[in-house]
């Protein structure tokens, strides 16, 4: 779970100080007449003012927003969502209004609603939502609120200084907690010469004319790319090495206390591995046993009444996890470590960062960057990583966000050992797509079978875990339909392996693929790269700002068979192609035998990160792939 930030990005007016109560203000004539902004032509809306005063001594923040609506699309910015954590923070003094294009003021007097955003590991994030009245192009929406939190909480705070719409002016005001702790800040992506400046007992930062965030396909996470300011607390002068040493010892001891050396665990381990004749077989049995534990981190939301009725007891150690039959993700992984040790394996817990939202920096003395745990076990002389605490994770495979990241192998009375979790090779995540097709008129009809392995299977299973059969069926059909041209019909006929950790996910479909080729006169021109022929290259832009970032290395293996219609013969086939850049590779093979044309196509990405300096090479690769995928089999009617 990522840490929740009580403060958001902070934007302010041209004023050099905050208004005493951040009061609403009358619009200027120029603001009322505004129809566009030079910061970003065509923007649906623009943030005129976004003021925030964050006071850690008082445990509150005041935020104030003014947003000019420029287009019909921009009307959505009149729907407001404010986040809070029940039991930890609260929202107060919420007030809002709409200023119509003619200057008429319409106060908000409507209802507000609470909506669950995240529930994980007993932790909730809620949104308070409401919609402002009479929002239309030309309107200005204006709202303010106070967020409060427990005075016992002192959090690392992060402010992102860029949004999807442009910002006229932004100012950040932070008053740190002055007792016991020292404070310091870091920043990334700010304009040259700009940084928070200490003014009296607080820090201020003001920026103007911020362009909207520019999304690029296959880029690192948005939060990693946006300009940001981070505010930290420490005891005494920041000493990064000492911080991590002290944290490692303290956290390692607490984890080892939870794992312990318990007779119930030793007994359960021996019972579980009975009959296994190899070390791997023993470990697989332990892994399967632990994955049967009820995983509280991935359960659906329950009402407070349901939670009170169930009254789950806290797990104080791994034997409680085993006996109670439930636990949160890290508790389940610690149980696996305990059982592995009891079976004679060298095993330990590893606290790791994740890379789905922001990247870890060891230079920041902030342990909340290490967000989860996996297990390491020495199997046949090699340290391997396991994550039974993720539902459906196969033996030895970590979910992609937990790979290619740094972590600390924890130990008692030790600062721990820093290590990097490797990425899985593309051969561990192969999606096989097989099509058996025939031509009826100008439509290709037949069946396809898609087999997901490794990461592809895991992500599909995780997405489906809390949905009913009908919902899963529609979701999968919609996803696969995106591979084919508009007008195609996709009907799912069979799913196997959806709730299994070890088995691949196999899905069968009946298909009718329209608008793929051309049938005219005596010839039919048909591209057999049916899974990719209608897909546009993601790298059409000539220039690139950011590195190319893939969630995980992967490979698609396609096998397409086209049965030649009666009365037709093959006039020509495309030439085979092989391109191998190391980090990316593509290959096609064609054949014509026994009345059937076959295409075997393989496309692999063998890395996670490619620098922007190599963009032209990768763009050229994708262009060659797109051209090859459009090449057609030419069928010709036999002369009568």
């Amino acid at each position: 779970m990522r840490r929740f930030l009580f403060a958001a990005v902070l934007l302010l007016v041209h004023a050099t100080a905050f208004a005493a109560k951040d009061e609403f203000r009358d619009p200027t004539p120029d603001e009322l007449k505004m129809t566009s902004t030079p910061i970003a032509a065509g923007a649906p809306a623009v943030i005129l003012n976004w003021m925030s005063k964050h006071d850690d001594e008082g445990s509150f923040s005041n935020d104030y927003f003014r947003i000019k609506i420029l287009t019909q699309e921009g009307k959505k910015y009149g729907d407001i969502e404010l986040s809070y954590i029940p039991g930890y923070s609260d929202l107060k003094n919420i007030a809002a209004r709409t200023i119509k294009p003619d200057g008429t003021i319409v106060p908000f007097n409507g209802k507000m609603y609470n909506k669950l955003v995240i529930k994980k590991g007993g932790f909730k994030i809620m949104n308070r939502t409401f919609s402002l009245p009479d929002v239309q192009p030309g309107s200005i929406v204006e709202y303010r609120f106070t967020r409060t939190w427990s005075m016992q909480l002192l959090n690392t705070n992060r402010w992102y200084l860029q949004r999807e719409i442009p910002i006229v002016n932004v100012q950040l005001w932070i008053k740190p907690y002055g007792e016991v702790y020292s404070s310091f800040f870091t920043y990334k992506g700010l304009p040259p010469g700009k940084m928070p400046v200490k003014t009296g007992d607080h820090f201020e930062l003001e920026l103007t004319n911020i362009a909207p965030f520019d999304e690029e396909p296959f880029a690192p996470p948005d939060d990693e790319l946006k300009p940001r300011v981070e505010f930290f607390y420490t005891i005494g002068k920041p000493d990064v090495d000492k911080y991590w040493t002290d944290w490692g010892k303290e956290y390692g001891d607490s984890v080892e206390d939870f794992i312990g050396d318990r007779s119930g665990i030793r007994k359960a381990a021996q019972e579980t591995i009975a009959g296994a004749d190899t070390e791997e077989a023993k470990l697989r049995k332990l892994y399967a046993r632990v994955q049967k534990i009820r995983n509280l981190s991935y359960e659906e939301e329950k009402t407070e009444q349901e939670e009170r009725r169930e009254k789950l007891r806290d797990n104080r150690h791994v034997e409680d996890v085993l006996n109670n039959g439930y636990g949160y993700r890290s508790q389940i992984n610690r149980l696996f470590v305990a059982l592995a040790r009891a079976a004679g394996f060298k095993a330990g817990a590893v606290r790791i960062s994740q890379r789905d939202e922001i990247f870890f920096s060891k230079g920041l003395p902030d342990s909340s960057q290490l967000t989860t745990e996996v297990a390491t076990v020495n199997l046949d002389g090699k340290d391997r990583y396991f994550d039974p605490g993720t539902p459906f994770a196969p033996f030895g495979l970590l979910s992609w966000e937990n790979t290619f990241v740094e972590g600390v192998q924890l130990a008692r009375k030790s600062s721990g050992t820093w290590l990097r979790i490797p990425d899985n090779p593309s051969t561990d995540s192969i999606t096989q797509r097989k099509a058996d097709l025939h031509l009826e008129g100008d439509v290709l009809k037949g069946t396809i079978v898609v087999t997901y392995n490794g990461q592809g299977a895991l992500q599909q299973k995780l997405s489906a875990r809390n949905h009913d059969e009908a919902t899963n069926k529609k979701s999968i059909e919609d996803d696969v339909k995106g591979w084919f041209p508009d007008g195609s019909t996709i009907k799912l006929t069979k799913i196997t392996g959806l709730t299994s950790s070890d088995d691949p996910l196999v899905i069968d479909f009946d298909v009718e693929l329209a608008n793929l080729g051309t049938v005219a006169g005596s010839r039919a021109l048909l591209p057999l790269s049916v899974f990719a022929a209608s897909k546009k290259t993601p790298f059409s832009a000539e220039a690139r700002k950011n590195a190319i970032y893939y969630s995980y290395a992967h490979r698609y293996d396609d096998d397409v068979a086209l049965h030649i219609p009666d009365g037709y013969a093959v006039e020509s086939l495309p030439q085979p192609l092989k391109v191998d850049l190391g980090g990316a590779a593509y290959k096609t093979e064609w054949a014509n035998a026994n009345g059937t044309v076959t295409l075997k196509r393989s496309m692999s990405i063998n890395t996670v990160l490619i620098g922007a300096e190599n963009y032209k090479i990768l763009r050229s690769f994708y262009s060659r792939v797109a051209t090859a995928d459009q090449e057609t089999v030419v069928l010709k009617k036999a002369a009568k």
Side-chain angles (χ1 to χ4, degrees):
M1 172 64 66
R2 299 290 183 193
R3 60 170 177 253
F4 181 78
L5 308 175
F6 290 118
V9 184
L10 309 166
L11 286 101
L12 307 172
V13 289
H14 292 280
T16 58
F18 287 88
K21 296 183 180 180
D22 299 331
E23 297 289 356
F24 291 149
R25 64 197 64 185
D26 294 333
T28 66
D30 286 342
E31 288 174 339
L32 288 176
K33 291 186 295 184
M34 181 187 293
T35 58
S36 63
T37 171
I39 306 173
V46 57
I47 300 172
L48 301 175
N49 311 109
W50 183 1
M51 304 178 65
S52 184
K53 180 175 184 177
H54 184 92
D55 189 330
D56 268 339
E57 284 200 346
S59 298
F60 74 91
S61 64
N62 288 328
D63 288 85
Y64 169 60
F65 293 79
R66 297 175 74 230
I67 303 174
K68 175 73 177 187
I69 309 302
L70 300 175
T71 68
Q72 286 289 334
E73 180 189 352
K75 290 169 61 176
K76 65 184 180 182
Y77 295 100
D79 298 325
I80 312 302
E81 296 190 351
L82 309 176
S83 298
Y84 68 100
I85 307 175
Y88 293 87
S89 65
D90 196 9
L91 297 169
K92 299 180 178 179
N93 306 323
I94 300 174
R97 67 180 190 174
T98 303
I99 303 175
K100 299 172 72 172
D102 64 359
T104 304
I105 294 174
V106 184
F108 170 75
N109 295 311
K111 292 183 178 181
M112 298 185 186
Y113 302 91
N114 292 319
K115 180 177 72 174
L116 178 70
V117 180
I118 293 174
K119 181 183 179 184
K120 191 173 183 181
F123 182 87
K124 294 180 183 178
I125 295 179
M126 303 290 294
N127 275 354
R128 190 156 300 160
T129 69
F130 57 94
S131 296
L132 290 168
D134 296 331
V135 176
Q136 55 187 288
S139 299
I140 295 174
V141 298
E142 195 173 19
Y143 62 98
R144 64 174 184 255
F145 61 94
T146 298
R147 180 178 284 116
T148 63
W149 54 90
S150 169
M151 297 190 70
Q152 296 178 338
L153 295 175
L154 195 62
N155 301 278
T156 293
N157 294 290
R158 180 181 294 149
W159 290 267
Y160 293 104
L161 302 173
Q162 195 171 35
R163 289 292 176 112
E164 62 182 13
I165 56 175
I167 302 160
V168 172
N169 186 274
V170 50
Q171 181 182 349
L172 171 62
W173 191 105
I174 313 166
K175 183 177 182 181
Y177 183 77
E179 299 180 16
V180 181
Y181 299 100
S182 301
S183 59
F184 69 97
F185 62 83
T186 66
Y187 56 91
K188 177 181 177 181
L190 300 187
K194 290 289 186 177
M195 68 179 71
V197 175
K198 190 167 186 180
T199 305
D201 62 354
H202 65 275
F203 291 85
E204 292 185 10
L205 172 68
E206 183 174 9
L207 304 174
T208 59
N209 298 329
I210 301 174
F213 180 68
D214 184 17
E215 294 187 355
E216 291 183 312
F218 292 101
D222 291 355
D223 287 351
E224 176 64 25
L225 299 176
K226 293 176 181 177
R228 65 180 185 261
V229 172
E230 296 171 293
F231 205 79
F232 298 89
Y233 287 96
T234 184
I235 296 178
K237 185 179 179 180
D239 184 329
V240 174
D241 292 337
K242 184 177 186 303
Y243 173 87
W244 288 117
T245 297
D246 292 345
W247 173 84
K249 290 178 179 178
E250 181 180 352
Y251 197 82
D253 286 348
S254 70
V255 170
E256 288 298 325
D257 286 343
F258 192 87
I259 294 172
D261 180 12
R262 307 178 192 281
S263 60
I265 295 296
R266 293 195 295 272
K267 179 181 178 183
Q270 295 308 312
E271 290 175 348
T272 301
I273 65 176
D277 55 1
T278 67
E279 294 299 287
E280 181 170 333
K282 292 177 182 179
L283 199 60
R284 284 184 178 274
K285 282 195 169 190
L286 296 174
Y287 190 89
R289 172 67 182 88
V290 171
Q291 279 208 314
K292 292 179 181 177
I293 297 291
R294 177 183 170 189
N295 198 319
L296 302 178
S297 294
Y298 288 85
E299 288 193 345
E300 289 184 284
E301 166 68 357
K302 290 183 173 62
T303 66
E304 292 184 7
Q305 184 178 8
E306 288 172 332
E307 291 178 345
R308 287 196 298 269
R309 189 184 303 123
E310 192 168 17
K311 294 181 180 177
L312 296 179
R313 293 175 293 180
D314 290 336
N315 290 322
R316 298 164 297 167
H317 46 68
V318 291
E319 198 165 344
D320 281 350
V321 179
L322 182 67
N323 293 334
N324 291 334
Y326 55 75
Y328 293 107
R329 183 174 180 274
S330 291
Q331 294 176 338
I332 292 171
N333 282 335
R334 293 174 190 178
L335 173 60
F336 178 65
V337 170
L339 289 169
R341 287 177 179 175
F345 292 94
K346 181 182 177 182
V350 183
R351 192 75 185 176
I352 65 170
S353 58
Q354 295 175 296
R355 58 181 175 88
D356 53 334
E357 293 182 16
I358 199 166
F359 297 158
F360 174 80
S361 172
K362 193 178 177 182
L364 293 180
D366 177 23
S367 62
S368 65
Q369 296 182 95
L370 301 175
T371 48
T372 192
E373 288 175 28
V374 296
T376 180
V377 181
N378 189 280
L379 178 61
D380 297 329
K382 182 181 178 180
D383 289 337
R384 295 179 58 181
Y385 299 98
F386 300 89
D387 186 14
T390 293
F392 313 120
F395 181 85
L397 184 80
L398 307 185
S399 185
W400 68 266
E401 69 275 10
N402 301 326
T403 67
F404 200 61
V405 296
E406 290 191 82
V408 181
Q409 184 165 343
L410 304 166
R412 189 180 295 280
K413 296 182 180 179
S414 168
S415 61
T417 303
W418 284 92
L419 47 78
R420 176 173 283 275
I421 308 291
D423 184 30
N424 299 110
S426 61
T427 51
D428 282 354
S429 299
I430 299 175
T431 299
Q432 298 165 307
R433 303 182 291 192
K434 187 171 184 178
D436 188 89
L437 305 170
H438 61 275
L439 183 65
E440 289 188 18
D442 59 355
V443 176
L444 289 172
K445 296 184 179 181
T447 61
I448 65 172
V449 179
V450 182
T451 303
Y452 296 95
N453 298 275
Q455 291 291 349
L458 176 57
Q459 302 311 316
Q460 290 277 357
K461 292 173 184 181
L462 287 173
S463 297
R465 70 188 184 277
N466 289 328
H467 300 304
D468 59 28
E469 182 179 353
T471 301
N472 286 330
K473 179 179 179 180
K474 183 179 186 308
S475 177
I476 292 170
E477 285 181 341
D478 289 346
D479 184 44
V480 171
K481 191 178 293 184
W483 297 342
F484 304 113
D486 292 343
S488 298
T489 301
I490 313 296
K491 182 180 179 181
L492 191 154
T493 58
K494 184 180 179 182
I495 304 178
T496 57
L498 190 60
T499 58
S500 166
S501 295
D502 295 328
D503 298 323
L505 174 63
V506 184
I507 311 175
D508 294 46
F509 303 87
D510 289 336
V511 299
E512 295 184 10
L513 308 180
N515 304 315
L516 257 179
T518 302
V519 179
S522 62
R523 284 181 171 82
L525 287 73
L526 304 169
L528 286 201
S529 295
V530 295
F531 298 105
S534 61
K535 187 176 182 180
K536 295 181 180 179
T537 174
F539 302 121
S540 58
E542 291 189 10
R544 176 88 179 187
K545 294 180 180 178
N546 301 301
I548 297 89
Y549 176 74
Y550 299 96
S551 296
Y552 52 91
H554 59 277
R555 193 173 90 196
Y556 284 94
D557 285 348
D558 298 340
D559 189 341
V560 181
L562 172 64
H563 301 288
I564 301 171
D566 290 341
Y568 279 88
V570 175
E571 183 175 72
S572 64
L573 295 178
Q575 292 297 309
L577 177 64
K578 183 176 181 179
V579 185
D580 191 346
L581 302 181
Y586 176 85
K587 183 173 69 172
T588 60
E589 296 177 2
W590 295 85
N592 174 23
N594 302 318
T596 301
V597 176
T598 58
L599 165 65
K600 293 185 183 296
R601 174 189 184 273
S602 179
M603 168 85 170
S604 64
I605 298 297
N606 303 310
T607 187
V608 168
L609 196 64
I610 298 175
E613 68 276 8
N614 294 314
Y615 175 64
K616 288 185 178 180
I617 297 173
L618 188 68
R619 181 172 181 257
S620 175
F621 169 81
Y622 272 84
S623 178
R624 292 185 68 183
V625 168
T627 299
D629 286 338
Q630 293 295 325
E631 291 187 333
T632 60
V633 173
V634 180
L635 304 180
K636 183 178 180 181
K637 285 184 179 180
K640 292 183 179 180

